[in-house]
Amino acid sequence: WVDIGPDGTVHLMALAFTGSIGAGTNAMLASRSSDGGLTWSAPATLIADSAGAFNDKNTLTADPTDARYVYAVWDRLVGEHGPTWFARSTDGGRSWEAARQIYNPGRTSQTIGNRIVVITDGPDRGHLVNVFTRIDVVAGIARNSLNIIRSADQGQTWSAPTRISEMQAVGTRDPDDG
């Protein structure tokens, strides 16, 4: 995932892993370039896990209202459980605060597709909105919903979730072979 800050700094976030998914080691890494991608900083490890936990579906947002802030968000899967994890930089990606869980959907639920957007105008300028899909599994049946959590302090604290809508999937079927 790549984003460009208001000062032109290019920020990159990637998932790195060895072995097979769920059995090897995996990590979320971040790097920065101040010369348009000609050279890059050494990758910073935001989180690293061994078998049993898998970090996935990462996005990175350079704050368009303040070049000091860069936000990384992803889901961290452990079995059926997948809370939202977050890390931020307050110095333009030169260093990163420790990664932490910012939303726990419950023991048999997970989040996926987390994406932080920074509000750029109006009275909420600089506030963060994290949009994500929540997957709840009950008796083997998954129900999905679109949700948000908000932060008014550059990610230090987060609101309780607001459910925007249930996701109504119709599905598809190949008429030739089912």
Side-chain angles (χ1 to χ4, degrees), residues 45-171:
T45 301
L46 306 182
I47 192 170
D49 278 308
S50 57
F54 189 71
N55 299 285
D56 200 17
K57 307 294 188 285
N58 57 293
T59 62
L60 177 134
T61 303
D63 191 323
T65 67
D66 189 335
R68 295 176 299 169
Y69 292 97
V70 185
Y71 312 105
V73 67
W74 63 94
D75 60 87
R76 183 173 180 266
L77 301 169
V78 179
E80 297 283 321
H81 185 228
T84 299
W85 278 66
F86 171 85
R88 76 175 185 168
S89 172
T90 60
D91 61 5
R94 289 176 187 84
S95 65
W96 289 81
E97 295 175 352
R100 60 191 169 87
Q101 181 179 288
I102 60 169
Y103 175 62
N104 184 348
R107 194 170 56 84
T108 60
S109 300
Q110 75 173 71
T111 67
I112 195 168
N114 290 276
R115 175 73 170 119
I116 292 176
V117 176
V118 180
I119 297 173
T120 58
D121 294 315
D124 291 336
R125 178 180 165 82
H127 289 199
L128 310 181
V129 178
N130 181 44
V131 181
F132 60 93
T133 299
R134 177 179 166 149
I135 303 170
D136 297 302
V137 179
V138 178
I141 298 172
R143 290 184 38 196
N144 302 334
S145 60
L146 189 62
N147 295 262
I148 65 168
I149 55 176
R150 296 175 57 104
S151 174
D153 55 13
Q154 287 80 32
Q156 288 182 351
T157 61
W158 292 87
S159 70
T162 299
R163 182 170 295 201
I164 297 170
S165 175
E166 294 295 320
M167 298 177 78
Q168 303 292 322
V170 175

Side-chain angles (χ1 to χ4, degrees), residues 4-11 32-34 62-64 66-68 92 94:
I4 300 172
D7 61 354
T9 301
V10 182
H11 299 276
R32 68 188 299 275
S33 173
S34 58
D63 191 323
D66 189 335
R68 295 176 299 169
R94 289 176 187 84

Side-chain angles (χ1 to χ4, degrees), residues 10-43:
V10 182
H11 299 276
L12 171 72
M13 182 180 181
L15 165 64
F17 61 92
T18 62
S20 61
I21 294 175
T25 59
N26 66 93
M28 288 295 175
L29 307 175
S31 192
R32 68 188 299 275
S33 173
S34 58
D35 59 11
L38 294 175
T39 60
W40 291 88
S41 67

